[in-house]
Amino acid sequence: KLIWFYVKPFLYFYYKNLKLMIGVNKIVLGLDVSTSCIGISVAGVTEDNNIVPVKVTHLRLKTSSKIKGTEALFVKSKMFSDELENFKEYNITDVVIEEPLVSSNNQQTVATLLRFNGMIAQSVYDKMGITPEFISSYDARKYAMPSLMAARKFNKKGEAYPLKKVATAVKNNELVLFGDYPFDCAKKYILWNYVSELFPSINWVYDKKGELKTENFDASDSLICIMGYVGRLKYGDQEPEIVDFQLEKGVLRYTIRFCEQLFTKTVENCN
C-alpha cells in the first residue's frame, strides 16, 4: 500500500499525458489574450504536424471593482502567472500568443491591449524560460482553417454581389477569410464549431441552462492559435491561389490550392 501511495501519482500523470508520448516532437502552449479572459491550450505536435489537443481551457480575470487602470492589469498578470504553474508538468517546448487586434479607434483601448499582451509574454518568459512567438488572428485562422478562404460573396449590407463581380475577384485571386459568409456572421461561433467538429473529444463549458458559455470561444481561439502557428512554420509565406474556375449557366465554380489542399467553391443565385 505504501508503494502504491507513491506510485499512483506518477501513473496518473503518465496516463493523462499518454498522447504526448507517441510520435510527438513539440508541445505547444497557445494563448488568446484579452483583459477579461485568456484562452489557454496545450497541444502536442507530431512529426507529421498533426495536432493532438491535451488541454483546452480558459482563465477568467476577475478583480475587485476597487482596482482599476494599470494596477488591474498587474493584478490580472499575476493571476495568469500563478495559473502557469499548473502547466509546467506538460514540458512545454513552444509558446505562441495571438497578437491583439488594434483596429479600434480608441487609442487608450489599443494601448491597454498592447500593454497587457506584453505583460503576459513577460510572465511566460519568467515562468517557463521560453521566448513566446506571436501570430496575428488573421494568420492563425488562415493557416489553421484554409477552407475559410474564399472570394467575397456579400457586401457589408449582407446583399449578394452580382455573379460577375465575384467572378472578377476570382480571376484576380482576391481571397479573404470568411468570404463565403455575410459580413455580420458569427465568426467566433463558426471557429468554435470548426474546432469542435475537428476535435470532438474536447469538453466545453455550458451554463445552467445548457447553453454554450462565451469563454469557450477564447479557449477554441487559443487552440486555433497553435494550429495556425504550426501551419505557418510548415508553409511559410505561402498564399492561397485559384488554380481553376468555370462560369457556366449562372454558376461559378473555382478551386483554391492552399496548404497542400484543394478546396472547390460554388457561387450561384447572385443578383
Side-chain angles (χ1 to χ4, degrees):
K1 290 183 178 180
L2 183 61
I3 294 175
W4 176 247
F5 176 80
Y6 287 105
V7 171
K8 185 178 179 180
F10 291 99
L11 290 178
Y12 172 75
F13 173 78
Y14 284 118
Y15 173 78
K16 185 173 67 172
N17 295 282
L18 180 62
K19 290 186 290 186
L20 289 180
M21 301 177 194
I22 304 174
V24 166
N25 57 8
K26 288 183 181 179
I27 304 174
V28 186
L29 175 70
L31 302 173
D32 175 65
V33 179
S34 76
T35 56
S36 60
C37 183
I38 299 179
I40 308 174
S41 287
V42 177
V45 182
T46 69
E47 295 178 357
D48 297 328
N49 290 306
N50 291 319
I51 306 295
V52 183
V54 176
K55 190 176 184 67
V56 181
T57 186
H58 68 275
L59 174 66
R60 291 290 299 173
L61 301 172
K62 294 182 179 180
T63 61
S64 169
S65 59
K66 296 180 181 179
I67 303 173
K68 301 182 183 298
T70 302
E71 182 184 4
L73 297 183
F74 280 109
V75 172
K76 293 176 180 181
S77 178
K78 178 64 166 56
M79 292 170 62
F80 171 74
S81 182
D82 292 342
E83 180 69 13
L84 275 182
E85 289 291 337
N86 299 322
F87 291 85
K88 286 186 175 181
E89 67 181 33
Y90 294 107
N91 297 317
I92 305 297
T93 61
D94 298 59
V95 178
V96 57
I97 303 175
E98 185 176 293
E99 295 174 343
L101 289 172
V102 293
S103 57
S104 173
N105 292 325
N106 189 321
Q107 293 185 354
Q108 184 175 353
T109 299
V110 171
T112 298
L113 288 172
L114 292 173
R115 188 178 298 123
F116 189 58
N117 207 266
M119 290 178 176
I120 296 303
Q122 183 69 52
S123 293
V124 168
Y125 183 78
D126 290 342
K127 284 285 185 177
M128 296 184 166
I130 298 174
T131 302
E133 299 288 338
F134 294 88
I135 189 169
S136 68
S137 60
Y138 190 90
D139 280 352
R141 296 168 181 181
K142 180 177 74 172
Y143 286 108
M145 304 174 182
S147 62
L148 286 178
M149 301 300 296
R152 179 72 70 190
K153 290 172 60 174
F154 302 93
N155 62 24
K156 291 184 178 181
K157 295 180 180 180
E159 301 166 337
Y161 280 131
L163 192 59
K164 287 185 178 180
K165 181 176 179 64
V166 181
T168 299
V170 168
K171 290 178 182 179
N172 294 332
N173 206 71
E174 296 172 355
L175 303 172
V176 295
L177 280 170
F178 300 101
D180 288 326
Y181 297 88
F183 265 87
D184 60 351
C185 66
K187 293 183 176 64
K188 289 284 188 179
Y189 184 83
I190 293 170
L191 295 169
W192 171 84
N193 191 60
Y194 184 101
V195 171
S196 184
E197 290 182 353
L198 191 61
F199 304 109
S201 63
I202 295 176
N203 294 318
W204 304 103
V205 183
Y206 295 84
D207 61 20
K208 293 180 180 179
K209 297 180 180 179
E211 297 178 350
L212 195 70
K213 285 191 172 183
T214 58
E215 291 89 342
N216 292 291
F217 301 141
D218 301 290
S220 63
D221 279 350
S222 66
L223 183 56
I224 291 170
C225 194
I226 295 176
M227 296 164 63
Y229 169 68
V230 172
R232 188 178 65 180
L233 286 177
K234 181 176 181 179
Y235 299 109
D237 296 328
Q238 183 182 119
E239 292 292 336
E241 63 173 331
I242 294 171
V243 294
D244 179 61
F245 75 91
Q246 296 176 349
L247 178 57
E248 296 179 351
K249 299 180 180 180
V251 178
L252 171 66
R253 290 187 178 87
Y254 62 99
T255 301
I256 301 170
R257 180 170 60 203
F258 185 45
C259 295
E260 299 178 355
Q261 299 178 67
L262 294 174
F263 307 97
T264 299
K265 308 281 185 175
T266 301
V267 185
E268 56 185 327
N269 298 325
C270 292
N271 296 329

